[in-house]
Amino acid sequence: DSLAKSFAGLARNAERNKASIAVSKEPLEEPPLKIHTLGNRALRKTARRISKVDESIRELAKDMLRSMYSAKGIGLAAPQVGVEKQILVIDLDLENPTNPPLILINPEIVSASTSLEKYEEGCLSIPEVYMDIIRPSTVKISFRDEMGRPKKMNADGLMGRCIQHEIDHLNGVLFVDRVSNHEELDLALKEHGFLSKDVHSI
Ligand code: ZN
């Protein structure tokens, strides 16, 4: 009996783990959260650590995913939707409805490779502006998953790039702050209705 109970418990846990963050990747006409754009002060706030990963955090992750999928983005950080919490959602495979997204809570870069890489970045908060950014090609990160479990991960390529871009958001940093060719940046911003004064070059 107790064995059957523990099996039932395991099955329930497995079901919960699997279902905890499953949302449809179909774009919604009215996404639950508004994504702020360059010039909005929300993007410059520093996010706070999440002390307890509970149902409300998982609901936030789901709403962030719904908004990200609706905007056809591959990554979204909570400050972009005006929430000052250290949580990111990432999904590099928008075409595959069963590929699970990645939820990173309190992510930290533990180490970064000395080798650097140039990669073209864009951002849901600066739509249609794409610029080459140089960053470490590989990072090792620690984080908690959507069930609060501590995890470590090595990321390179597009995943490594996306994680570094999103972690920047948690510190109020935008990819345009990292552009060194200001002339090119100013042109691209102007073309899409953004102001160069909203860039905080680092
Ligand atoms: Zn972004």
Side-chain angles (χ1 to χ4, degrees):
D1 181 48
S2 72
L3 197 61
K5 250 185 210 160
S6 69
F7 272 125
L10 277 178
R12 245 194 333 270
N13 275 339
E15 195 50 42
R16 195 160 54 210
N17 283 352
K18 207 169 62 189
S20 60
I21 43 158
V23 306
S24 163
K25 298 190 186 184
E26 289 297 318
L28 302 170
E29 241 172 81
E30 284 183 47
L33 302 166
K34 181 180 157 54
I35 300 173
H36 297 301
T37 53
L38 181 65
N40 189 302
R41 279 188 307 169
L43 296 172
R44 298 305 186 175
K45 298 275 173 66
T46 303
R48 288 184 300 271
R49 283 180 75 79
I50 292 171
S51 53
K52 188 163 174 270
V53 181
D54 57 14
E55 206 49 42
S56 73
I57 295 298
R58 286 186 282 278
E59 282 306 316
L60 171 63
K62 283 189 206 175
D63 279 347
M64 286 173 63
L65 283 169
R66 291 182 183 110
S67 298
M68 182 186 85
Y69 291 136
S70 298
K72 303 215 179 291
I74 57 171
L76 186 69
Q80 291 180 275
V81 293
V83 176
E84 292 166 43
K85 290 190 166 111
Q86 293 185 11
I87 178 169
L88 318 172
V89 298
I90 292 176
D91 188 341
L92 302 184
D93 196 356
L94 302 180
E95 300 305 318
N96 179 352
T98 57
N99 177 61
L102 188 62
I103 314 296
L104 303 183
I105 294 162
N106 303 335
E108 266 181 71
I109 294 176
V110 180
S111 62
S113 63
T114 48
S115 69
L116 305 174
E117 207 169 61
K118 192 158 79 176
Y119 220 102
E120 189 177 68
E121 295 187 25
C123 181
L124 290 178
S125 292
I126 318 169
E128 292 175 75
V129 174
Y130 298 92
M131 302 288 295
D132 282 337
I133 307 292
I134 296 166
R135 298 186 192 261
S137 38
T138 310
V139 286
K140 184 177 181 180
I141 60 159
S142 67
F143 62 99
R144 288 189 180 266
D145 70 7
E146 66 278 8
M147 300 311 287
R149 293 172 294 216
K151 297 261 168 98
K152 279 197 166 65
M153 175 179 159
N154 282 306
D156 61 6
L158 181 58
M159 181 59 85
R161 180 52 60 131
C162 193
I163 286 173
Q164 293 178 75
H165 173 117
E166 300 306 334
I167 288 179
D168 266 356
H169 275 299
L170 300 181
N171 297 311
V173 174
L174 302 173
F175 83 99
V176 287
D177 302 342
R178 297 187 178 278
V179 174
S180 46
N181 187 337
H182 289 154
E183 224 168 287
E184 200 184 325
L185 174 64
D186 288 351
L187 272 174
L189 289 175
K190 203 174 167 191
E191 195 184 334
H192 295 101
F194 296 106
L195 302 174
S196 301
K197 73 165 178 61
D198 291 323
V199 175
H200 299 179
S201 295
I202 48 177

